[in-house]
Amino acid sequence: MSTERQSAVRLIDEALGFLFPAALRAAAVVRVADHMADGERSVERLAEACGADARNLGRILRLLATRGVVEETGEGRFRLTTTGQALRSDVPHSAHAAILMLTDATMWRPAGEMHHCLADGGSAFSGIFGTTFFDHFAQDAETAAVFHVGMAAMSEHENQPVAEAYDFPPVGTVVDVGGGHGGLLLEVLRRQAGLHGVLYDQGHVLAGHRLGDHDDVTGRWTVAEGDFFSSVPRGDIYLLKRILHDWDDEQSATILRNCGRAMAPGGRILVIDAVVPPGDLPHQSKTLDLMMMASLGGRERTRRDFVQLFDEAGLRLEKIVPTSTVLSVVEAVSVSGS
């Protein structure tokens, strides 16, 4: 086969790749993995348990088997692999909710219309849904719940490694800006018994927080409702985990300025995002960057991008601390040092 033909075959195969996450979503929607917890099952029994069509379920499982999510053990019989266990909704560190969020129409449809981002420089979201990403969620509680529960699930395996990677002070107030259900703040408070935490987000998000479920942080946290584009509570350390990548540079600078104004002397702002590395090697940040572009109008940033963004907000990049996850802790301090 000629080089040209090999190239064409490869690119065609790549173009078909969207069907795997579609199959993964279909399996998550009917919770097929939950019904495979006890071992291998026939497609017919699985379909009956899931309320699914047996023939089509078998076709989906066959594709999932090519990526090691399930294993076909015999004619029409499948079992979960070690990887596939994370597709269950009832296990620690489940990926189930995150998969439903990442493959939701709010992410999926704009990705398919990504060419509009090239034409007008914005996201593709408003042209499809008639409003911006977060305004859409404000109008659709069911979709908003999918997003926030999915983000919490996606964050669950990141929070402890992030908290362990950074040297938090022994005392002070940590403000988790846009902190969702409080998973990261919980891990930070567990690291230092002298810290007090403030979970800051919108009211409907805070309603799902889980800080009160843990006795080891009792009495060391409060919640505060508000809009980080207007103001943030006073504190010594500010956590911005997967927040700035949702917004363009102007909006991100506004959030950072608000943190800088409220920050106690000697305070730190910790931007916890994926830092895009140079070069051609694969990195999840380069994939997520296109999701941010298509759905939210935000972006993942390089080190240079962070330097420029902080400068705009009156801050200075102090250091970047890598973690064992795709995320890094990007530390910013006040330029004045006050």
Side-chain angles (χ1 to χ4, degrees), residues 43-66:
V43 171
E44 288 75 16
R45 289 190 63 189
L46 284 171
E48 182 179 356
C50 296
D53 179 84
R55 178 178 294 181
N56 289 340
L57 178 60
R59 296 161 76 180
I60 286 170
L61 292 174
R62 182 172 61 190
L63 179 60
L64 295 183
T66 67

Side-chain angles (χ1 to χ4, degrees), residues 180-181 199 201-210 223 225:
H181 292 173
L199 183 61
D201 213 316
Q202 295 180 318
H204 69 278
V205 180
L206 292 173
H209 84 79
R210 56 192 184 92
V223 298
E225 180 180 348

Side-chain angles (χ1 to χ4, degrees), residues 239-318:
L239 307 177
L240 291 162
K241 181 172 182 283
R242 293 195 185 273
I243 298 297
L244 296 191
H245 78 161
D246 290 344
W247 308 99
D248 63 27
D249 286 350
E250 182 178 351
Q251 293 165 316
S252 294
T254 297
I255 298 170
L256 290 170
R257 287 191 200 99
N258 288 336
C259 293
R261 292 189 189 104
M263 186 167 60
R268 298 286 187 271
I269 299 172
L270 308 183
V271 177
I272 303 161
D273 270 330
V275 178
V276 182
D280 297 336
L281 291 178
H283 192 267
Q284 191 185 89
S285 63
K286 299 175 184 180
T287 303
L288 287 174
D289 185 45
L290 298 191
M291 178 177 286
M292 298 301 107
M293 178 179 74
S295 285
L296 289 94
R299 58 187 295 205
E300 305 295 344
R301 293 177 171 89
T302 65
R303 180 188 180 94
R304 182 179 179 181
D305 291 332
F306 278 114
V307 169
Q308 294 174 340
L309 178 60
F310 291 159
D311 182 66
E312 178 67 21
L315 303 168
R316 181 182 74 248
L317 191 154
E318 188 76 356

Side-chain angles (χ1 to χ4, degrees), residues 112-124:
E113 300 289 328
M114 196 179 295
H115 58 279
H116 291 301
C117 302
L118 302 178
D120 58 26
S123 79

Side-chain angles (χ1 to χ4, degrees), residues 13 25 27 33 46 74 80 87 111 191 220 237 241 268 277 309 322 333-334:
D13 190 53
R25 176 177 179 80
L46 284 171
L80 287 175
L87 186 57
R191 294 283 295 171
R220 294 199 290 125
I237 300 288
K241 181 172 182 283
R268 298 286 187 271
L309 178 60
V333 297
S334 172

Side-chain angles (χ1 to χ4, degrees), residues 186 189-190 193 210-221:
L186 172 64
L189 295 180
R190 283 172 165 170
R210 56 192 184 92
L211 292 173
D213 298 334
H214 303 275
D215 293 339
D216 54 345
V217 297
T218 298
R220 294 199 290 125
W221 58 268

